[in-house]
Amino acid sequence: MPAHRIFSTPFASVYPHYVAKAERKGRTREEVDQAICWLTGYDAAGLAAALEDEVDFAAFFEHAPAMTPHAALITGSICGVRVEEVEDPLMRRIRMLDKLVDEIAKGRPMTKVLRGGDDSRTTVRARATG
């Protein structure tokens, strides 16, 4: 079975859609970045570099510094698919990210979006420019 085409899609081509979805609902780019960094362990500079280098989703998650130990708490449906039932590990991570962005756009408080995670990754301190 061939790999899903989203795996080879540049993360940078989807990222603006994540931000636009959040902003349409009155949320911010910083909140989206905060969720991405919380999930993957990237810091602001690492996220900016991944966007600038136009890495695909497979590489984005493969090179993620450290997936949050709270990732298993991300459950529920996104696009009619239950996140916790997705068998392919990469697709599950992509769906987890989709779910976080969806929750941000629905107005869920960031403390709940981040599943109460209190590690230092929950705050993106400064956006790297580049």
Side-chain angles (χ1 to χ4, degrees), residues 69-121:
H70 301 289
L73 300 175
I74 303 169
T75 60
S77 292
I78 185 75
C79 301
V81 176
R82 294 209 52 88
V83 172
E84 63 273 21
E85 294 175 0
V86 176
E87 291 188 25
D88 183 278
L90 177 55
M91 183 61 82
R92 186 178 319 113
R93 289 177 173 176
I94 293 169
R95 292 294 186 169
M96 286 176 176
L97 181 53
D98 291 344
K99 181 71 175 168
L100 295 177
V101 173
D102 191 57
E103 289 176 356
I104 291 168
K106 287 182 176 177
R108 194 164 195 213
M110 288 303 291
T111 55
K112 293 197 184 234
V113 171
L114 303 180
R115 305 319 195 246
D118 59 356
D119 60 341
S120 61
R121 297 185 305 185

Side-chain angles (χ1 to χ4, degrees), residues 28-45:
T28 66
R29 173 185 303 264
E30 288 74 21
E31 289 171 311
V32 172
D33 290 353
Q34 183 179 6
I36 293 169
C37 292
W38 172 81
L39 178 65
T40 62
Y42 282 103
D43 60 14

Side-chain angles (χ1 to χ4, degrees), residues 40-63:
T40 62
Y42 282 103
D43 60 14
L47 176 57
L51 292 168
E52 185 176 322
D53 294 344
E54 296 192 15
V55 299
D56 60 26
F57 270 95
F60 179 78
F61 281 105
E62 180 180 326
H63 299 295

Side-chain angles (χ1 to χ4, degrees), residues 18-31:
Y18 289 149
V19 172
K21 181 175 185 174
E23 288 179 341
R24 277 193 308 270
K25 300 293 185 165
R27 301 301 287 264
T28 66
R29 173 185 303 264
E30 288 74 21
E31 289 171 311

